[in-house]
Amino acid sequence: MPTTNSIRAGSRTIKVSRPEKVLFPGDGITKADLVAYYRTVARRMVPHLRARPLMLERHPDGVDGQGFLQKEIPGHFPPYGKQPGGCTSCWTSCDCPRCR
């Protein structure tokens, strides 16, 4: 059974599914390791991301498998990650006032 961890990010609780999943096999870096890194650099990184369109480079079968760029906001995205007005054909951005 896959595990799920919850972390606090500001006023939000974020669920991280399968934190033990190895994302970078050559280095043994797991999803939990990547989340920890992002938490460490967030205070410096997030201000540079504000008002910029974001996209995900996804590799569902691992970094060595075929990847794709996800530009549109998926339907399962949390409300604070979506553009105003419920637009689902827009790129997401890092403009949440609570994230500042």
Side-chain angles (χ1 to χ4, degrees):
M1 177 177 209
T3 59
T4 303
N5 284 0
S6 294
I7 61 167
R8 291 290 298 168
S11 62
R12 303 185 194 293
T13 300
I14 310 294
K15 291 182 181 178
V16 179
S17 63
R18 298 186 58 205
E20 72 285 351
K21 180 179 181 180
V22 177
L23 300 178
F24 301 97
D27 298 316
I29 296 173
T30 65
K31 189 187 284 190
D33 295 330
L34 188 60
V35 168
Y37 170 74
Y38 284 151
R39 292 188 79 188
T40 300
V41 301
R43 288 186 194 266
R44 298 240 184 224
M45 183 174 67
V46 170
H48 298 285
L49 298 176
R50 287 216 176 86
R52 295 177 184 259
L54 304 176
M55 64 181 169
L56 299 172
E57 183 174 346
R58 299 193 51 195
H59 295 265
D61 297 321
V63 73
D64 294 328
Q66 184 165 345
F68 65 94
L69 296 177
Q70 181 174 339
K71 298 177 184 177
E72 293 187 354
I73 300 170
H76 67 273
F77 233 51
Y80 56 83
K82 294 182 180 177
Q83 292 290 342
C87 178
T88 58
S89 62
C90 300
W91 289 16
T92 189
S93 65
C94 194
D95 286 333
C96 174
R98 292 185 188 170
C99 298
R100 296 181 183 171

